[in-house]
Amino acid sequence: MIKNMTCINCPLGCQLKVEVDGEIKVSGNKCKRGEEYAKNEITNPLRIITTTVKVEGGDRPLLSVKTDKEIPKSKIFDIMKEINKVKINAPVEIGDIIIENVLGTGANIVATSKIQRAD
Amino acid sequence: MERDLVIIGGGPAGLAAAIEAKKNGIDDILILERDKRLGGILQQCIHNGFGLHVFKEQLTGPEYAQRFIDEVEKLGIEYKLESMVLHLGEDKKIIALNPKDGLFEIEAKAVVLAMGCRERTRGALNIPGSRPAGVFTAGAAQRFVNMEGYMVGKKVVILGSGDIGLIMARRMTLEGAEVKMVVELMPYSTGLKRNIVQCLEDFDIPLLFNHTVTKIHGKERVEGVTIAKVDDKRQPIEGTELFVECDTLLLSVGLIPENELTREAKIEINPVTNGAYVNELMETSIEGIFACGNVVHVHDLVDFVTQESFLAGYGAAKYIKGEKSNSANKFKTKGLNGIRYVVPNIIHPENVKDAVNFYMRVSDVYHNVNLIVKDGDKVLYKSRKNHVSPGEMENVKLSKDILQKVEGDELVFELEEVAI
Ligand SMILES: Cc1cc2nc3c(=O)[nH]c(=O)nc-3n(C[C@H](O)[C@H](O)[C@H](O)COP(=O)(O)OP(=O)(O)OC[C@H]3O[C@@H](n4cnc5c(N)ncnc54)[C@H](O)[C@@H]3O)c2cc1C
Ligand code: SF4
């Protein structure tokens, strides 16, 4: 099978052709980083999720959060479901852990903004 | 009220300018911000990718902003929130309004303009059709979704493939909306490759180049849009129209510096950038009024905003302390042959600290070119570029030493083809 993808490691954005039968063969890359990228994208694509959770009693209704590590791309929507179940109480500091080890990925969901108690 | 330095706008630009002015010996500083909190547009940019240049790590927008807010607090710099500046005079008199003090006037020794930019709206585009609910700028939608928790729609079409549009395509998808497509007038995207892959391709959202929206359907609420292919002149081609059902149209069609106050003060504006002309210290055509960040020219990386704004703060401090040289020795900068604009526009070499970072944008996508800087016929700088695009700001750093040796009255920045 041949897969087409775009390398994102520099503005050139090489169009990569990736053969995935047995050994992974990459062509179209102008440098080594393209090959590495394609291999990772085929074997284990990883992403950071950034989203929000609801806040109770805060100076604003939403807290922005992120995964503190990259998580498998295939788990994005499952993790979103977990995050959307949560409601937390103000105050919150940047870096506070909102969900530990989300779905056993080893990544925590952490706060990326500061929320004060509404007064 | 009299103040040494008043900063209009508490986004990343205003915060960095305040911090640098304080570090350069100015104690009497006041930041005026119309929003309920500091941080500017970064508060709503919850995705990551900020700060790679300044902090060598990937931060989200709010995290990046908070580092500067913490520093402002630590340095004890005064700020007023919910304070809208209504007027700025040539004499640096400011009139502002807030719920606590009502209308108040400030006489400032120096002013830094850091009002950021706003988005182009449908009005600037002229898409026919009635005005149903469900048409938003991408930035307004970003604010609703990320700050207020209000989902703006379920079936979405996005016009424009700049970064804000791409980021919103992913954001809406994560929140359960169906993003049907992103439609781009040009044959290329001004957005980052990373965003095209991780915001569109990851979710199989189609990106249609050379297409535009020609009509918005629906009376109360958007019911769909008509899209069409465009020709070389960016005009819709008859017979290529296609109806796409959707309840929401997001516009991500560009940003314009927010310069009402600048115009009021009769500061000279560059028609290409829609921002003030500035010199090596980010000073405008009025002495003692400085400008930085998106109010000068639209940046894609906040890191560059920060660097430019430190310079404005440094310049304002120099001016207030009377250390700025007013020597007549100066030259202008100019973009030619593919360079659409260069900032800053005027250089007094004596006032340069160590070097000047020149920021510029190209007018089209080019491959295999040299970016060169010339003083008359003399080439002062040359750099090979495999790929340049209007979506990515280029920058060239020239040392004080080089700048002091410029003989002509104009420094020219241009692209030349590489002979292969
Ligand atoms: C919708 C949107 C999304 C963006 N997303 C990204 C992104 O993902 N990544 C990225 O790197 N860049 C992004 N940008 C660019 C971003 O704007 C800059 O990187 C950076 O925030 C610019 O900083 P600034 O301080 O110049 O402007 P801003 O952050 O816009 O701050 C200007 C501040 O001035 C205040 N202000 C304006 N007028 C007045 C007045 N009359 N009185 C008092 N206060 C006033 C405003 O309320 C605001 O807080 C985005 C821009 C927009 C508009
Ligand atoms: S393969 Fe190398 S040159 Fe091509 S886009 Fe990737 S990093 Fe850039």
Side-chain angles (χ1 to χ4, degrees):
Chain A
M1 189 178 63
I2 291 187
K3 276 195 111 169
N4 293 311
M5 57 176 84
T6 315
C7 178
I8 62 167
N9 284 307
C10 87
L12 267 183
C14 293
Q15 290 301 316
L16 310 177
K17 265 208 166 81
V18 195
E19 283 180 57
V20 251
D21 301 313
E23 209 188 322
I24 300 175
K25 266 195 217 148
V26 184
S27 57
N29 53 311
K30 290 208 174 69
C31 84
K32 246 197 168 142
R33 282 191 295 164
E35 185 176 333
E36 219 169 280
Y37 171 76
K39 286 186 174 163
N40 285 335
E41 278 296 286
I42 297 288
T43 52
N44 187 23
L46 297 172
R47 299 289 185 266
I48 295 273
I49 301 181
T50 59
T51 180
T52 54
V53 298
K54 291 197 191 76
V55 182
E56 216 50 275
D59 60 354
R60 49 180 166 174
L62 292 178
L63 167 73
S64 59
V65 298
K66 68 177 179 187
T67 55
D68 63 359
K69 265 199 219 122
E70 294 189 305
I71 52 95
K73 184 176 142 187
S74 57
K75 294 219 166 123
I76 290 178
F77 284 99
D78 294 334
I79 292 176
M80 277 301 291
K81 261 188 215 143
E82 291 303 305
I83 296 174
N84 284 338
K85 286 181 197 159
V86 175
K87 202 170 211 186
I88 63 148
N89 292 314
V92 189
E93 287 295 327
I94 290 182
D96 284 2
I97 295 180
I98 308 300
I99 306 177
E100 226 177 297
N101 187 13
V102 65
L103 294 180
T105 53
N108 301 316
I109 304 297
V110 298
T112 60
S113 51
K114 183 173 169 165
I115 304 255
Q116 279 158 340
R117 241 192 280 273
D119 41 20
Chain B
M1 176 173 25
E2 280 177 32
R3 305 300 293 242
D4 280 352
L5 177 57
V6 175
I7 295 178
I8 308 177
L15 296 174
I19 289 166
E20 195 62 17
K22 174 88 187 184
K23 286 185 176 166
N24 280 278
I26 306 303
D27 286 322
D28 181 22
I29 304 176
L30 175 64
I31 304 174
L32 297 173
E33 167 56 55
R34 69 180 169 198
D35 206 345
K36 282 200 189 103
R37 52 176 76 214
L38 296 173
I41 208 86
L42 290 184
Q43 296 291 2
Q44 69 185 60
C45 299
I46 64 165
H47 57 279
N48 71 332
F50 300 85
L52 268 176
H53 294 262
V54 172
F55 296 116
K56 311 287 175 235
E57 58 180 309
Q58 290 222 25
L59 301 172
T60 62
E63 289 172 305
Y64 188 94
Q66 194 63 45
R67 297 208 174 180
F68 291 88
I69 297 171
D70 289 346
E71 178 100 20
V72 160
E73 301 274 6
K74 204 179 86 197
L75 292 170
I77 297 170
E78 189 187 339
Y79 56 87
K80 281 184 190 284
L81 300 175
E82 296 180 82
S83 301
M84 171 96 181
V85 174
L86 303 173
H87 172 81
L88 169 68
E90 288 165 84
D91 52 1
K92 308 187 193 80
K93 262 198 196 131
I94 292 168
I95 299 172
L97 177 71
N98 75 21
K100 213 170 101 222
D101 310 315
L103 210 57
F104 56 101
E105 199 179 289
I106 308 172
E107 282 181 49
K109 275 194 197 138
V111 177
V112 173
L113 307 175
M115 292 91 76
C117 57
R118 60 187 154 75
E119 291 175 287
R120 280 183 216 272
T121 55
R122 184 178 162 200
L125 278 170
N126 281 319
I127 306 171
S130 51
R131 311 228 144 225
V135 183
F136 301 88
T137 63
Q142 190 179 45
R143 189 174 182 94
F144 279 129
V145 176
N146 292 345
M147 308 285 292
E148 278 149 49
Y150 166 71
M151 260 304 269
V152 294
K154 291 201 181 77
K155 289 183 190 167
V156 186
V157 169
I158 299 176
L159 175 61
S161 64
D163 284 314
I164 307 169
L166 299 176
I167 294 284
M168 280 313 288
R170 174 174 63 189
R171 188 72 192 112
M172 299 288 289
T173 306
L174 286 181
E175 290 296 343
E178 180 195 354
V179 178
K180 296 221 155 163
M181 60 180 69
V182 176
V183 178
E184 170 61 58
L185 184 68
M186 302 302 287
Y188 56 83
S189 166
T190 56
L192 297 172
K193 283 279 165 346
R194 177 184 206 86
N195 286 337
I196 292 180
V197 171
Q198 297 195 347
C199 299
L200 301 185
E201 292 176 13
D202 271 7
F203 305 102
D204 297 316
I205 299 168
L207 169 55
L208 274 66
F209 291 117
N210 298 308
H211 274 76
T212 191
V213 169
T214 54
K215 193 167 178 198
I216 301 169
H217 304 264
K219 276 210 186 81
E220 303 283 308
R221 174 86 199 189
V222 174
E223 286 162 13
V225 294
T226 300
I227 64 164
K229 251 194 186 146
V230 296
D231 59 22
D232 300 351
K233 296 194 185 78
R234 312 285 126 221
Q235 293 305 311
I237 302 172
E238 228 174 288
T240 63
E241 295 91 354
L242 189 74
F243 177 79
V244 183
E245 191 210 331
C246 62
D247 60 22
T248 303
L249 174 66
L250 298 189
L251 304 172
S252 174
V253 290
L255 302 168
I256 321 172
E258 174 116 27
N259 271 309
E260 280 69 24
L261 293 174
T262 320
R263 286 200 178 84
E264 213 180 332
K266 302 199 177 64
I267 290 168
E268 278 176 52
I269 303 244
N270 180 344
V272 180
T273 54
N274 282 309
Y277 284 111
V278 288
N279 68 17
E280 71 292 335
L281 295 174
M282 302 306 292
E283 188 179 33
T284 66
S285 60
I286 296 185
E287 224 196 331
I289 302 186
F290 297 77
C292 53
N294 277 353
V295 79
V296 179
H297 58 137
V298 176
H299 295 65
D300 9 73
L301 285 178
V302 69
D303 299 71
F304 289 154
V305 170
T306 299
Q307 284 164 10
E308 191 181 278
S309 307
F310 281 152
L311 184 58
Y314 168 81
K318 281 258 172 209
Y319 170 79
I320 295 167
K321 292 187 288 182
E323 292 170 6
K324 201 173 69 85
S325 146
N326 274 332
S327 123
N329 178 16
K330 63 173 180 187
F331 56 85
K332 290 189 169 176
T333 64
K334 187 171 164 183
L336 269 183
N337 295 326
I339 302 289
R340 201 160 68 86
Y341 74 79
V342 183
V343 171
N345 315 87
I346 298 169
I347 305 293
H348 302 82
E350 282 102 303
N351 285 326
V352 174
K353 203 173 165 192
D354 310 306
V356 175
N357 250 317
F358 293 91
Y359 296 105
M360 64 210 74
R361 276 185 200 275
V362 298
S363 47
D364 206 341
V365 176
Y366 299 100
H367 295 280
N368 296 318
V369 287
N370 283 324
L371 172 53
I372 57 176
V373 183
K374 288 203 298 202
D375 170 20
D377 291 332
K378 207 159 85 197
V379 175
L380 301 184
Y381 173 96
K382 186 177 205 162
S383 167
R384 170 82 183 262
K385 304 270 168 191
N386 292 328
H387 172 97
V388 292
S389 148
E392 277 153 44
M393 201 156 74
E394 298 292 330
N395 79 314
V396 170
K397 195 170 177 174
L398 296 180
S399 69
K400 177 167 186 162
D401 201 36
I402 292 181
L403 295 170
Q404 275 178 323
K405 288 183 193 138
V406 170
E407 287 164 3
D409 53 8
E410 206 169 69
L411 204 56
V412 174
F413 293 71
E414 60 183 344
L415 297 179
E416 69 172 17
E417 272 179 55
V418 175
I420 307 173

